[in-house]
């Protein structure tokens, strides 16, 4: 019987070629679009889940609230980290880390020039870490002992790809010596497999935390309660996921006395951020190369569902429109003894054939256009697609859902024809032919299509607004590139600058920690002038040279830009800081000092405000 149903379905579809082609084309495009969106969403939601302790891994962060009600999510002082280790019993394991971007130099054993030099790619980060890090994050080890690999000063472990390129094969890496930033010698104590692309940690290499402490000045390691960097972080492993609230309660006691004594007018405490939130949070810094948004994923999922619904509506419209053409067929079959259930199954099998072909073609189309997906998302081009079990499961689910959604109603309607009226005349069923439903579905299709078009237009207008908005600095014809900050490279910056200036079309060159609109800044508490206490809010900083103002066209409203210097002795502040300090005349600020702990910087100029972060955020001091 089933074989017969398929034969009849195939004959019917072959007979109505135009109807079949239109349906297959509509479903194929809809399924391909939905499949690409599914790949994007499934990739983004799979981040960090390859770690077996995924549901127990947390990161400690700080929450700081000023008297003005502003809330900042900031760094953790290194002394607080040891207090956490001893005062949070829910931590099964804990590791201090510090982000770093040191280059790896392979020295010549004969004393000649370095044999090889490798720098991190933009966005990639390595850590100083403790051996307990590997109890939290279970890496797959190719060589070495994870429990002791980072115990000693001068120890480094490499990823497989970095060991391969550094020593022409990872099997040759153990016991070899390399230099961090051409200064600090470290010995390879282990090699681990590369982390997958759906991981927030690239981890090309890890260096023992003891090495950081032994070279504190070189790597800017601070051990004071009143100072910290967002590069200094803590990862921990809870004994059980349900202990999160208990751990947060214990964590709030850490530094309570120190923060109260040193940062008057503010409240500061520590909380835990589950690793499941790391990839999606807009509040905290992400150590990895990717970041997504849950709201964006929900919007994408909604768009995919709407596209599928439109394709199904199109199928239903065509099927019900053909109902009068198939009424005699239904009448004859019922007269010969076919039941309504048999006819329903027959029409559902026709739909199943159409959908199966469409899903196959849709998967092929999606696979062909997958490289284009990398231009609008973080999905890597070499990621598995058709062979991905999640994709195969989604395809199977699509076949079932689309068959039922698109085929059930037409099948029920067609199988419900009365045989005498159907055989006698086509017109006997016209008043029951579902014209009202078709009109409703057509209207729904237009509503969905117009909503998607409106959303696209709004998105385009927002991007155009960002492009045309006065950001407070010149971004036209300004080109940027990054380079490593190791001692060898820094020593050659002057030569690089002169070389670039000799290019006829280059009018200005500037070195800096970040572009004006990068969103990256240093943050610190501070004291202004002769005021006795720190201000009740933080200040953000960008480190740049004497040509930054000219290169980016930043406007000054008072004073001048600072001159070239080997130390950070002069600085320029923005109008927002002036306003927050309650100063109305910018000239009053010239010559005053801003104090950061033991360091003070003389104010030589006041600039107009320029955007350093998202346009949704107000200017920061």
């Amino acid at each position: 019987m089933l074989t017969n149903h398929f034969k009849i379905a195939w004959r019917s579809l072959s007979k109505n070629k135009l109807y079949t082609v239109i349906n297959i084309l509509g479903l194929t495009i809809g399924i391909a679009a939905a499949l690409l969106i599914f790949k994007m969403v499934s990739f983004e939601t799979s981040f960090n889940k390859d770690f077996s302790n995924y549901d127990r891994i947390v990161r400690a962060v700080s929450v700081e609230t000023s008297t003005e009600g502003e809330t900042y999510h900031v760094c953790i002082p290194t002394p607080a980290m040891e207090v956490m280790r001893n005062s949070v019993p829910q931590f099964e394991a804990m590791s201090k880390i510090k982000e770093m971007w040191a280059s790896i130099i392979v020295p010549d054993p004969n004393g000649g020039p370095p044999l090889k030099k490798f720098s991190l790619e933009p966005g990639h980060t390595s850590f100083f870490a403790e051996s307990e890090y590997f109890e939290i994050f279970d890496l797959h080890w190719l060589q070495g002992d994870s429990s002791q690999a980072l115990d000693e000063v001068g120890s480094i472990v490499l990823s497989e790809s970095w060991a391969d390129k550094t020593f022409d094969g990872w099997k040759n890496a153990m016991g070899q010596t390399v230099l961090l930033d051409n200064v600090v010698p470290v010995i390879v104590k282990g090699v681990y497999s590369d982390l997958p692309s759906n991981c927030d940690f690239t981890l090309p290499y890890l260096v023992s935390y003891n090495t950081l402490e032994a070279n504190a000045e070189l790597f800017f390691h601070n051990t004071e309660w009143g100072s910290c960097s967002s590069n200094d972080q803590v990862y921990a492993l809870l004994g059980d996921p349900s202990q999160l609230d208990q751990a947060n309660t214990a964590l709030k006691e850490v530094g309570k006395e120190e923060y109260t004594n040193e940062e008057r007018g503010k409240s500061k405490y520590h909380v835990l951020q589950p690793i499941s939130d790391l990839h999606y949070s807009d509040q905290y810094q992400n150590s990895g190369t990717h970041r997504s948004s849950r709201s964006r994923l929900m919007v994408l999922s909604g768009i995919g569902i709407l596209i599928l619904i439109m394709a199904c509506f199109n199928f239903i419209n065509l099927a019900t429109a053909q109902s009068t053409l198939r009424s005699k067929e239904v009448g004859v079959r019922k007269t010969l003894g076919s039941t309504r259930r048999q006819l329903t199954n027959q029409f559902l099998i026709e739909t199943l054939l159409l959908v199966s072909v469409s899903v196959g073609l849709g998967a092929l189309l999606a696979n062909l256009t997958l490289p284009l997906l990398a231009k609008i998302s973080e999905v890597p081009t070499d990621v598995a697609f058709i062979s991905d079990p999640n994709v195969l499961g989604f395809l199977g689910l699509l076949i079932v859902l689309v068959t039922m959604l698109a085929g059930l109603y037409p099948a029920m309607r067609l199988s419900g024809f009365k045989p005498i009226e159907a055989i006698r005349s086509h017109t006997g069923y016209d008043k029951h032919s579902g014209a009202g439903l078709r009109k409703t579905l057509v209207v729904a299709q237009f509503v969905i299509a117009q909503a998607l078009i409106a959303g696209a237009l709004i998105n385009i207008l927002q991007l155009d607004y960002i492009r045309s908005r006065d950001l407070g600095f010149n971004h036209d014809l300004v080109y940027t590139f990054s380079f490593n900050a190791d001692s060898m490279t820094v020593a050659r910056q002057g030569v690089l600058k002169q070389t670039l200036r000799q290019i006829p079309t280059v009018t200005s060159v500037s070195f800096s920690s970040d572009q004006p609109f990068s969103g990256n800044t240093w943050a610190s508490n501070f004291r202004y002038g002769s005021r006795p206490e720190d201000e009740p809010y933080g200040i953000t900083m960008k480190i740049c040279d004497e040509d930054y103002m000219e290169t980016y066209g930043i406007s000054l409203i008072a004073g001048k830009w600072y001159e070239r210097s080997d130390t950070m002795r002069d600085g320029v502040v923005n109008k927002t800081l002036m306003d927050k300090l309650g100063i109305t005349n910018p000239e009053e600020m010239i010559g005053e000092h801003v104090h950061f702990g033991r360091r003070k910087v003389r104010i030589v100029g006041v600039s107009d405000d320029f955007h350093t972060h998202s346009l949704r955020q107000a200017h920061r001091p």
Side-chain angles (χ1 to χ4, degrees):
M1 178 64 75
L2 187 61
T3 304
N4 188 52
H5 280 323
F6 273 103
K7 287 181 179 178
I8 296 171
W10 178 255
R11 289 170 185 167
S12 177
L13 295 176
S14 302
K15 180 181 178 182
N16 301 289
K17 291 183 175 61
L18 181 62
Y19 163 79
T20 303
V21 169
I22 292 175
N23 264 326
I24 288 178
L25 185 62
L27 284 174
T28 296
I29 295 173
I31 288 169
L35 196 55
L36 289 172
I37 291 174
F38 171 79
K39 189 60 185 176
M40 290 172 61
V41 173
S42 62
F43 176 75
E44 294 290 352
T45 55
S46 68
F47 265 73
N48 306 319
K49 290 184 178 178
D50 286 328
F51 297 119
S52 61
N53 300 322
Y54 173 76
D55 60 340
R56 296 193 290 143
I57 299 174
V58 292
R59 178 174 69 164
V61 293
S62 298
V63 180
E64 181 179 322
T65 307
S66 71
T67 54
E68 298 179 348
E70 295 177 285
T71 301
Y72 306 89
H73 301 86
V74 291
C75 48
I76 299 176
T78 51
M81 299 179 181
E82 286 303 322
V83 178
M84 290 178 188
R85 191 191 303 274
N86 301 320
S87 59
V88 184
Q90 291 78 19
F91 285 174
E92 188 174 291
M94 191 201 96
S95 173
K96 298 178 290 185
I97 71 149
K98 185 181 182 72
E99 296 180 0
M100 68 158 170
W101 299 266
S103 59
I104 297 293
I105 307 290
V106 181
D108 184 349
N110 300 319
L115 300 179
K116 294 181 181 180
K117 175 185 174 182
F118 301 102
S119 300
L120 295 179
E121 297 177 12
H124 288 218
T125 308
S126 285
F127 297 155
F128 289 105
E130 300 172 298
S131 285
E132 280 187 287
Y133 185 86
F134 304 123
E135 296 180 39
I136 303 168
F137 298 95
D138 52 329
L139 306 182
H140 177 250
W141 285 78
L142 303 175
Q143 286 184 325
D145 182 354
S146 63
S147 63
Q148 301 176 0
L150 297 182
D151 282 349
E152 300 175 2
V153 175
S155 300
I156 186 173
V157 292
L158 301 172
S159 69
E160 181 180 358
S161 59
W162 269 63
D164 278 337
K165 68 182 183 181
T166 305
F167 300 108
D168 301 321
W170 62 265
K171 293 182 180 179
N172 305 322
M174 285 293 288
Q176 298 280 3
T177 299
V178 295
L179 300 178
L180 293 181
D181 281 348
N182 204 36
V183 176
V184 180
V186 289
I187 300 174
V188 178
K189 293 298 183 70
V191 179
Y192 52 87
S193 297
D194 293 341
L195 275 70
S197 56
N198 59 340
C199 181
D200 275 313
F201 309 100
T202 52
L203 297 187
Y205 58 86
L206 289 148
V207 180
S208 63
Y209 202 85
N210 294 332
T211 306
L212 167 66
E213 294 174 329
N215 300 272
E217 187 174 347
L218 178 63
F219 294 109
F220 307 103
H221 181 56
N222 198 309
T223 57
E224 298 177 358
W225 276 95
S227 178
C228 66
S229 166
S230 58
N231 296 334
D232 293 303
Q233 301 171 28
V234 167
Y235 282 92
L237 181 67
L238 296 176
D240 188 87
S242 62
Q243 295 177 332
L244 182 64
D245 291 338
Q246 295 173 330
N248 275 329
T249 301
L251 207 59
K252 285 187 178 180
E253 299 299 316
V254 173
K256 203 168 185 179
E257 182 177 344
E258 287 78 7
Y259 298 146
T260 301
N261 290 341
E262 297 204 11
E263 301 186 76
R264 298 177 179 86
K266 291 184 273 187
S267 65
K268 182 175 178 178
Y269 59 92
H270 301 294
V271 296
L272 296 176
Q273 177 192 22
I275 194 176
S276 58
D277 183 59
L278 184 67
H279 186 65
Y280 312 101
S281 176
D282 293 327
Q283 295 177 312
Y284 307 108
Q285 175 185 348
N286 185 342
S287 302
T289 57
H290 306 286
R291 175 174 289 175
S292 189
S293 164
R294 284 192 174 92
S295 58
R296 172 176 172 268
L297 297 181
M298 290 178 65
V299 170
L300 280 173
S301 300
I303 291 173
I305 292 171
L306 289 176
I307 291 173
L308 268 183
I309 289 174
M310 288 178 64
C312 291
F313 282 0
N314 187 66
F315 183 95
I316 294 171
N317 279 334
L318 289 172
T320 53
Q322 277 215 324
S323 61
T324 54
L325 300 178
R326 304 194 66 176
S327 59
K328 282 191 175 182
E329 175 190 345
V330 172
V332 170
R333 289 182 179 279
K334 282 196 170 184
T335 302
L336 295 176
S338 292
T339 64
R340 183 171 185 179
R341 181 177 179 180
Q342 289 173 328
L343 290 170
T344 300
N345 291 338
Q346 174 65 55
F347 293 127
L348 280 176
I349 286 175
E350 286 186 20
T351 305
L352 177 62
L353 277 176
L354 276 173
V355 171
S356 298
V357 172
S358 300
V359 166
L361 293 175
L364 179 61
L365 179 61
N367 192 47
L368 291 174
T369 55
L370 186 62
L372 300 176
L373 201 61
K375 298 182 181 297
I376 59 171
S377 72
E378 301 292 347
V379 178
T381 54
D382 58 348
V383 69
F385 190 62
I386 300 299
S387 59
D388 184 351
N390 290 328
V391 172
L392 293 175
F394 181 69
L395 290 176
L397 184 63
L398 269 183
I399 291 175
V400 175
L401 287 180
V402 176
T403 298
M404 298 306 295
L405 183 61
L408 188 58
Y409 176 78
M412 296 295 291
R413 296 287 294 178
L414 288 169
S415 63
F417 286 176
K418 296 178 181 179
I420 300 300
E421 293 181 355
I423 293 174
R424 184 176 298 167
S425 174
H426 287 227
T427 59
Y429 201 74
D430 282 351
K431 60 183 178 182
H432 306 295
S433 60
L437 174 66
R438 292 201 301 276
K439 291 178 181 178
T440 301
L441 295 182
V442 168
V443 170
Q445 281 181 294
F446 273 106
V447 169
I448 294 172
Q450 289 179 24
L452 294 177
I453 292 171
L457 289 175
I458 291 171
N459 207 18
I460 292 171
L461 291 173
Q462 285 180 323
L463 293 173
D464 184 64
Y465 172 77
I466 293 172
R467 284 193 294 264
S468 61
R469 175 73 181 269
D470 181 11
L471 301 177
F473 64 91
N474 175 37
H475 55 84
D476 293 328
L477 298 179
V478 178
Y479 292 84
T480 64
F481 62 90
S482 60
F483 51 83
N484 208 52
D486 62 272
S487 57
M488 291 179 63
T489 306
V490 170
R492 299 171 182 171
Q493 283 185 356
V495 177
L496 174 60
K497 198 169 195 176
Q498 292 301 321
T499 304
L500 292 173
R501 279 176 168 169
Q502 291 173 8
I503 300 174
T505 52
V506 174
T507 60
S508 180
V509 180
S510 173
F511 291 138
S512 63
S513 61
D514 292 288
Q515 306 94 325
F517 196 47
S518 67
N520 294 324
T521 54
W522 293 60
S524 174
N525 55 310
F526 77 105
R527 179 170 57 85
Y528 174 73
S530 58
R531 298 182 182 183
E533 298 179 357
D534 285 354
E535 298 302 319
Y537 50 87
I539 191 172
T540 59
M541 294 174 282
K542 285 184 179 290
I543 312 301
C544 47
D545 67 8
E546 69 278 5
D547 296 314
Y548 198 74
M549 181 189 75
E550 178 187 356
T551 303
Y552 287 103
I554 296 171
S555 301
L556 292 179
I557 58 177
K560 63 178 183 177
W561 198 261
Y562 47 81
E563 298 176 355
R564 178 176 175 81
S565 174
D566 292 332
T567 58
M568 193 172 74
R569 63 186 185 188
D570 294 338
V572 174
V573 299
N574 68 348
K575 184 175 179 297
T576 293
L577 178 60
M578 182 187 75
D579 294 339
K580 291 182 76 67
L581 290 170
I583 299 172
T584 56
N585 182 8
E587 296 292 344
E588 295 179 17
M589 302 189 71
I590 307 302
E592 289 287 356
H593 288 83
V594 177
H595 301 262
F596 310 102
R598 299 173 184 174
R599 172 176 287 176
K600 67 177 182 179
V601 175
R602 182 181 61 177
I603 300 173
V604 297
V606 180
S607 76
D608 207 352
D609 287 326
F610 58 88
H611 284 280
T612 59
H613 291 74
S614 167
L615 291 177
R616 294 190 296 268
Q617 299 176 356
H619 291 297
R620 297 184 181 184

